[in-house]
Each structure stands twice: as structure tokens, then as C-alpha cells.
Amino acid sequence: MRKVWKKRVLFNNPDTLDPAQIEQELRSGHQVIVQFSHPEFYEPVLEEVDELCARYNEDFGVRFYAHYSLSFDCRTLLRIPHVKMLHLDLAQAHHTEALAHSYFLHSLNLGIYELENSEILGLDSLSSLRILTIVSDKRMLNLQYFKEIPYLEELHVGGKVKNLEAIGHLENLSYLALHSISKQPLHFVNRLRKLRHLRILLGGREHIQEIEQNEIGSLEITRVRGFHDLGNITAFQGLKSLKIEDQIKLVEIKVDQEMKALEELTIRNCKGLTRLTGMDRMPALHKLSILQTAIDFEAFIQQKLPGSLSSVEFATFKTKADQKIQETLVNLGYQ
């Protein structure tokens, strides 16, 4: 059960806007983002952009990016007060308090490398957000204000943060990505009863033992430094999709209780992984991918595999060995 993202159609530094084309893309179920890399491109058209922001829902958005050698003046946002989806992907920006006048925000991607205001989440205008991406590389971002953003459904947060446990106040959260956050405990996840997608990317931690029985349907752990223990995986009884990638210290994945919901299992570039056991305890598994691990294929394929399994990908990235493995899989009836 992966998160389904809408296709994005980008209009880059447009001289003019074509409302008919934009409406056609929106009617097709796509997101439309008008993006600008320098003030010279948006100065002539911002009022027209705001008219479109007022006309359409949150699938129509505006993005400011690049602005190389410039600091973006956030007072520019006062000219698009009706913006509902906003992306700020910039090295520097000033007057970020101008965001306080963006009362219609539904979705915000706040990617300002040198973010000047560590208390920015306290702005009242952010209380209506449903979707938020924010990663702070320079300042220690204060997350205590999450208790004032009650409608948030999707959150991607990372970098230097404090009060991470405040995420536990987000009762409507269904998607959570933690990016480059090290060692801080994850007990707050147990309070997120509606959470269905959890991604842990980069950073460092040894395990996720703090997470108890839950209804998470999709779990991804990628390139987390020092991660070596997945011993509580059966606490994820609602899990349909599990992806483990770039975990060199992970030695074993052991499923010692039935995981009835699991349909897809992907393990990629876990070079220390030597054992994957309990395959027969995954009765719904239909897609299995094991790439670049230390698992011995001959021993692995001898264990009892789920009858539901139809697609198996197993590769060592050694040409001769992989040719033989592929022949064996084809003879066993796997695609």
C-alpha cells in the first residue's frame, strides 16, 4: 500500500498563462504548479496567478525556487493571498513573517535552507494546513506548534528539530516521513491512530522498538545509519508494503508471527543481511524483491514460500550467479 501521488504539471517562468490549458490539466486529475526562479519572471504576472489561485482548489499551486545570489523577499506572497499550495525551495529568504497573511494555505513545502525563523510553525495562518513539508538544516526548528495545526494529514519533517514528540498531537495524520532525524525516540507514533504510511529516511537510529501494535499499512526504512534491529516487525499487523533499503548493519529479518496483510516486500542494498526467515507466515505476499544482500539464494529458495507469491526478483549483481538464479525462478513459475 504505497502512497499514491498525483502527476504534477509544471509551468516554468511563464510569460503568459493559459487558463484553458491549466483547467484541462486540473480536470485530468493532475496538480498544476506555476514556478518562478527569479523576480524578473513573476513581477509581471503575479496578480493573474492570484486570480487562478482564487478560482481553483489546492491542486493549483505556486513555487518559488533558485533565486541564485538573491534572498527571496517573502513579502512577494502578499500579492498572491489566495494561494492554497505553496512551495518555497530556496537558499535564503527574508520577511518570512509575511506567511502570516496566507490564510488559504492547504499545502506548504517550506524548503528554505537558511531558514531565519525557528518558530515559524507558530504562525496562525498555518493552522489550516493539511499537507506540510519542512526540513531545517541550519536552525533548530521548534515543533511544539503542531498542537495548533489540528487538520494536518501529511507531514514530511526533518533536519534540526526539537519537540519531535509534538507530532503525536496530529490526530488526523495519515502520512509521516521523518528525514535526517537521529536517535530521538518514536513513542509518539503510538498516538497516531490514523497513520497508514511511515517513512524513516537518513539520520541515525538502531531500531524502532518504541512503536507498538499499529495499523500502519506502508513502512519504509532507507539509509538510516546504525539501524540493525527489525525485531518488532510483527507489531505492524496492518502492513501491506515493507521496503528496507541501504541498511548495511541489518543482519536478519525474522517473521515469527503471521503477517496476514503483507503483500509486497522489497529489500535493496542491505549487504550485511544474511537471513530472511518466516516466509510462510506471509500468506498474502505476492511480490518479493531481494537485491544486493548476503542472503544465500540456494538456501533461501528451499524454504516454504507463500502460495500467493507470483513475482520474485532476486539479484546479487554478479552476472553469472544472477543468470542461474533467474533460470531457477522461471522454472519455479515466478515472473
Side-chain angles (χ1 to χ4, degrees):
M1 186 180 73
R2 294 188 179 92
K3 172 69 179 172
V4 178
W5 303 101
K6 289 187 176 182
K7 177 183 176 181
R8 286 182 173 173
V9 179
L10 302 178
F11 292 88
N12 190 50
N13 293 327
D15 294 325
T16 60
L17 296 170
D18 185 344
Q21 184 181 2
I22 290 173
E23 182 158 350
Q24 181 180 351
E25 296 291 354
L26 292 170
R27 286 182 179 273
S28 297
H30 303 153
Q31 286 187 341
V32 174
I33 299 177
V34 181
Q35 60 179 16
F36 302 99
S37 62
H38 192 276
E40 66 179 285
F41 298 113
Y42 54 76
E43 287 297 339
V45 296
L46 272 189
E47 279 66 34
E48 186 179 355
V49 169
D50 188 57
E51 291 178 6
L52 295 174
C53 288
R55 182 184 308 174
Y56 297 118
N57 66 12
E58 63 275 6
D59 284 333
F60 178 80
V62 185
R63 177 178 182 242
F64 298 96
Y65 72 103
H67 285 65
Y68 301 122
S69 76
L70 295 175
S71 176
F72 176 74
D73 188 345
C74 288
R75 289 176 298 186
T76 301
L77 303 178
L78 299 177
R79 296 173 59 190
I80 50 171
H82 295 96
V83 65
K84 300 178 182 72
M85 176 181 26
L86 176 63
H87 291 249
L88 299 177
D89 298 311
L90 304 152
Q92 294 179 315
H94 58 284
H95 294 302
T96 54
E97 68 277 1
L99 267 170
H101 299 278
S102 298
Y103 297 112
F104 296 93
L105 279 177
H106 177 282
S107 173
L108 175 63
N109 186 320
L110 199 56
I112 303 172
Y113 182 72
E114 295 188 15
L115 184 64
E116 64 179 18
N117 183 3
S118 61
E119 308 292 323
I120 197 167
L121 292 176
L123 295 176
D124 290 343
S125 61
L126 305 187
S127 64
S128 61
L129 283 175
R130 264 67 173 181
I131 301 171
L132 173 64
T133 295
I134 184 167
V135 177
S136 182
D137 295 296
K138 290 289 187 178
R139 298 261 183 144
M140 186 67 70
L141 183 68
N142 190 355
L143 304 185
Q144 71 175 17
Y145 302 102
F146 278 142
K147 64 182 69 175
E148 309 298 334
I149 312 179
Y151 307 111
L152 207 60
E153 298 172 3
E154 300 179 13
L155 172 63
H156 187 140
V157 63
K160 296 181 178 180
V161 300
K162 64 180 180 180
N163 297 315
L164 185 70
E165 69 280 359
I167 294 176
H169 292 286
L170 302 174
E171 297 180 355
N172 290 302
L173 205 64
S174 64
Y175 173 93
L176 173 62
L178 301 174
H179 190 285
S180 299
I181 293 177
S182 296
K183 298 182 180 180
Q184 297 189 50
L186 303 178
H187 296 97
F188 63 87
V189 171
N190 299 316
R191 298 163 58 189
L192 303 175
R193 299 301 182 185
K194 294 183 180 181
L195 190 65
R196 296 297 178 266
H197 305 268
L198 175 61
R199 303 177 69 206
I200 304 175
L201 315 168
L202 300 174
R205 65 182 63 249
E206 296 181 354
H207 56 76
I208 53 172
Q209 293 286 350
E210 308 99 318
I211 302 178
E212 302 167 355
Q213 292 286 342
N214 59 79
E215 296 299 323
I216 295 171
S218 175
L219 174 64
E220 176 184 347
I221 302 173
T222 296
R223 209 172 296 179
V224 178
R225 186 177 59 256
F227 188 85
H228 65 85
D229 183 358
L230 199 60
N232 68 325
I233 190 59
T234 55
F236 294 76
Q237 281 297 306
L239 205 61
K240 293 185 178 181
S241 174
L242 173 62
K243 181 178 180 181
I244 309 295
E245 188 167 352
D246 297 327
Q247 299 305 148
I248 61 174
K249 291 195 173 182
L250 186 63
V251 174
E252 178 182 28
I253 300 177
K254 181 180 180 181
V255 178
D256 54 10
Q257 297 179 37
E258 193 169 54
M259 298 186 69
K260 296 180 180 179
L262 191 62
E263 298 176 354
E264 298 184 14
L265 174 58
T266 301
I267 305 169
R268 184 188 300 269
N269 197 31
C270 296
K271 296 179 181 178
L273 188 68
T274 59
R275 295 183 298 279
L276 172 59
T277 59
M279 295 298 301
D280 58 335
R281 297 187 176 97
M282 310 175 198
L285 192 71
H286 65 80
K287 185 176 182 180
L288 174 65
S289 181
I290 304 174
L291 307 177
Q292 213 166 1
T293 71
I295 296 174
D296 180 74
F297 175 76
E298 295 299 331
F300 173 80
I301 204 65
Q302 294 302 316
Q303 68 179 303
K304 185 178 179 181
L305 300 178
S308 58
L309 195 59
S310 59
S311 174
V312 179
E313 185 181 19
F314 195 111
T316 65
F317 292 94
K318 298 176 182 177
T319 304
K320 290 185 178 180
D322 287 346
Q323 287 177 346
K324 185 177 180 182
I325 289 171
Q326 183 60 29
E327 291 173 1
T328 300
L329 292 175
V330 170
N331 290 335
L332 290 172
Y334 297 118
Q335 299 178 357

